[in-house]
Amino acid sequence: MFGNYLIGLREGLEASLVVCILVAYLVKTGNHRQLPPVWAGVGLAVALSLAFGALLQFGSSTLTFQAKEALGGGLSILSVALVTWMVFWMRRTARHLKSELQGKLDAALAVGTGALVVTSFFAVGREGLETSLFIWTAVQATDDGIRPLIGALLGLVTSVVLGWLFYQGALKINLAKFFRWTGAMLVVVAAGVLAYGIHDLQEADFLPGLRDLAFDITATVPPDSWYGTVLKGVFNFQADPTVLQTIVWAAYVVPVMAFFLAPDRPKQAAPAPAVSQPVEQ
């Protein structure tokens, strides 16, 4: 449940910050009349994200077991790829997100109302679709009834409250550090979702090795115990993973975490222009 709460919190906070920046900039520049188009774009993005999540849930329920496992495995891998790209993108652009969005909003204001709707729709919609996909695959991975979904919803609600506090100026936080450390935790969650996707593809007979277990500690960490439930809910831990799952998990989490936590390289100063020397006669 905590892993899904983290997903909802981090992904939702990105969308909340985007909305806060757009609204605050319009208010600050005296464009109050342009707020309805922005909210219309936000509403359309939220509706699209909910529709996408419903399509994933109800559409997959009509499939055969093999087709459902293949779909779940494929979408798990896709969601991990998207989330990995997202955490690196946010780590790189967190400091410049405000100026980037304000530049897009200035361009949209110059075009008209429709451009404002489109700008806010795409600014929030990308986050919403990523959130829907990753929450769906993470909920499928934990296989813990409705509790993972509740955790994700609580994370989204928390992100909305934090976004409102940011807008009101009641809360200040170093966003670069926040996204860095929550991103690191999300990498671990994503690794578990990736391992779950590999297992799904093995069950669908798309990948071999379903019976080749790397280890089996279900006697030590029973899946139905409280600590087994916590490990599965937070890290998508599996007490009896296959060899292929273990290899893929390690091949993902080790290099991705190393690159993500590596310190930023200082920018090299541009070389000074060469000064021409007079030629002696």
Side-chain angles (χ1 to χ4, degrees):
M1 184 172 178
F2 175 77
N4 294 280
Y5 176 83
L6 175 64
I7 295 169
L9 173 63
R10 194 185 190 283
E11 299 288 308
L13 187 57
E14 286 186 29
S16 296
L17 289 175
V18 168
V19 174
C20 288
I21 291 171
L22 294 176
V23 172
Y25 187 63
L26 288 177
V27 172
K28 184 178 180 180
T29 55
N31 290 288
H32 297 77
R33 294 182 179 180
Q34 302 299 337
L35 286 174
V38 169
W39 285 116
V42 172
L44 289 173
V46 172
L48 177 64
S49 303
L50 293 175
F52 181 58
L55 178 64
L56 289 174
Q57 180 61 34
F58 296 109
S60 62
S61 63
T62 62
L63 300 176
T64 63
F65 174 79
Q66 186 174 16
K68 186 175 182 179
E69 296 300 300
L71 176 66
L75 290 179
S76 294
I77 295 173
L78 175 61
S79 68
V80 169
L82 289 174
V83 167
T84 304
W85 172 83
M86 178 271 298
V87 295
F88 278 97
W89 176 83
M90 182 54 72
R91 178 178 180 266
R92 185 177 66 253
T93 61
R95 297 182 180 90
H96 315 292
L97 181 62
K98 184 176 180 179
S99 58
E100 180 181 331
L101 286 172
Q102 289 176 349
K104 291 181 179 179
L105 203 55
D106 282 334
L109 283 169
V111 175
T113 300
L116 285 172
V117 175
V118 172
T119 299
S120 58
F121 172 79
F122 280 108
V124 178
R126 179 181 62 83
E127 304 291 345
L129 291 177
E130 287 179 358
T131 303
S132 295
L133 179 58
F134 198 51
I135 285 178
W136 184 81
T137 53
V139 168
Q140 300 300 312
T142 53
D143 192 24
D144 193 23
I146 198 174
R147 281 186 292 183
L149 183 58
I150 293 175
L153 291 176
L154 288 175
L156 290 172
V157 171
T158 305
S159 70
V160 172
V161 174
L162 290 177
W164 181 80
L165 291 174
F166 278 125
Y167 179 77
Q168 296 294 326
L171 182 64
K172 293 183 179 181
I173 189 173
N174 187 318
L175 292 178
K177 289 185 177 180
F178 174 83
F179 285 120
R180 184 179 182 87
W181 292 110
T182 56
M185 291 186 284
L186 205 56
V187 167
V188 177
V189 175
V193 172
L194 180 60
Y196 160 81
I198 295 299
H199 188 267
D200 267 2
L201 292 177
Q202 288 179 311
E203 289 193 325
D205 293 329
F206 274 66
L207 293 175
L210 181 60
R211 306 301 175 190
D212 300 330
L213 301 183
F215 54 84
D216 186 353
I217 57 173
T218 52
T220 305
V221 187
D224 56 350
S225 63
W226 69 267
Y227 46 92
T229 303
V230 170
L231 288 173
K232 188 173 182 63
V234 176
F235 303 109
N236 290 313
F237 174 78
Q238 185 176 339
D240 55 345
T242 65
V243 173
L244 184 58
Q245 279 183 278
T246 306
I247 292 174
V248 170
W249 185 92
Y252 169 84
V253 76
V254 173
V256 171
M257 188 68 77
F259 278 114
F260 185 75
L261 293 180
D264 296 326
R265 294 181 179 179
K267 294 183 179 180
Q268 295 181 351
V275 179
S276 59
Q277 299 292 334
V279 179
E280 296 182 359
Q281 300 294 332

